[in-house]
Every structure is written in structure tokens, then in C-alpha cells.
Amino acid sequence: MSRLEQLYQQLILDHHKSPLHFGEADPVTHDAVGNNPLCGDAYRVTLTVVGDRLEQVKFSGTGCAISKASGSLMTGALMGLSVSDALSLKDRFLAFLSSDGESDGLGKLSALGGVRQFPARVKCATLVWRAFEAAIEAGGHPVSTE
Ligand code: ZN
């Protein structure tokens, strides 16, 4: 394993142990849950959207180290962005994980790129992002995603 890979693995373990923005937004304006039965990951993503801005992005639930680290990194990356910038970042991140997409501009999120070698784990990394997307698309009503 390269030193860079070791560093990335440590970043994932750190975020798993001490996830950022873990809990629920207050007040909740947007809300969605995501489940990955293959792994047992189950999360709820809650948002406080004021105007076009993501004032709060939080997640709660349980799952593996990859899924929890992804939630921690996602909430940190999206907090404070406009909804359109957040959706564009989400698209770039999903493209990065699903192909040989570039990690340019993804910062710490690129730490999750290691899962590309393990297709079964990609869903662990994308779960909270899909839930975020579902929460925005639902326009402020609780929804469920598979
Ligand atoms: Zn998982």
C-alpha cells in the first residue's frame, strides 16, 4: 500500500470514529433515508435549506466505516453551499466513484476513491449522497431511497 493510500485509509477511519455533523438538522426542511441492505448501512440525511443555501447538512444512522466516513465528508463538503453547487459536487463525486472520473476539486472526498477497486463497496460510499439527492428532489418532503 502506498503512503497516500495509508493516509486515505487513516482519514476514513478517523471520520468513522468521530464523524462530523452527526445528528439531525434543526429545523429540518428536507429529509431522506437511504438503506443498503447488502451491507446493513442505514442513514437519514436532514437539511436546513434557507433560500438557496444549505445552512445545515447532517446525517444519522448506522453502517460500515466507508458509509459513515462518506457521510462525515459529505456533510462537511456541502455545508454552506448553494443547492445547485451542492448538486454539481454530488454529480462530480458520483462520476468519480463510478468510473475513472477525475478527482480534481474533490479535496478530501477523493479519499473515498479506494472503493472503486471494490464495486460492492461503492454503494456504501454513495448511499448518503443518494439520500441527499433524494431529499433535494423531494422538495421538502420525507422520502425513502433504496
Ligand atoms: Zn457499507
Side-chain angles (χ1 to χ4, degrees):
M1 195 187 300
S2 73
R3 289 190 58 172
L4 192 62
E5 284 170 322
Q6 284 176 15
L7 182 72
Y8 281 173
Q9 194 165 60
Q10 191 58 48
L11 185 71
I12 287 169
L13 291 175
D14 288 347
H15 278 272
H16 172 58
K17 206 189 303 177
S18 310
L20 303 174
H21 316 300
F22 196 74
E24 291 181 2
D26 181 26
V28 175
T29 60
H30 294 65
D31 181 354
V33 297
N35 293 294
N36 177 10
L38 291 175
C39 182
D41 307 322
Y43 291 96
R44 181 179 182 214
V45 173
T46 54
L47 314 173
T48 306
V49 180
V50 178
D52 183 40
R53 196 148 298 273
L54 295 164
E55 295 280 334
Q56 290 183 53
V57 181
K58 298 211 174 189
F59 78 113
S60 58
T62 56
C64 66
I66 298 285
S67 62
K68 190 172 281 183
S70 188
S72 181
L73 289 164
M74 179 190 80
T75 51
L78 298 186
M79 194 96 69
L81 295 184
S82 68
V83 170
S84 57
D85 284 350
L87 289 173
S88 132
L89 180 61
K90 180 265 303 171
D91 287 341
R92 272 186 288 142
F93 178 72
L94 294 182
F96 166 64
L97 280 193
S98 66
S99 65
D100 293 328
E102 296 294 326
S103 63
D104 296 354
L106 290 176
K108 290 180 195 168
L109 295 172
S110 58
L112 293 159
V115 302
R116 292 191 294 184
Q117 297 162 45
F118 308 99
R121 305 307 301 278
V122 168
K123 195 164 184 184
C124 299
T126 60
L127 180 65
V128 290
W129 293 82
R130 294 289 184 198
F132 165 73
E133 178 180 45
I136 293 294
E137 282 178 354
H141 300 284
V143 291
S144 180
T145 57
E146 282 302 323

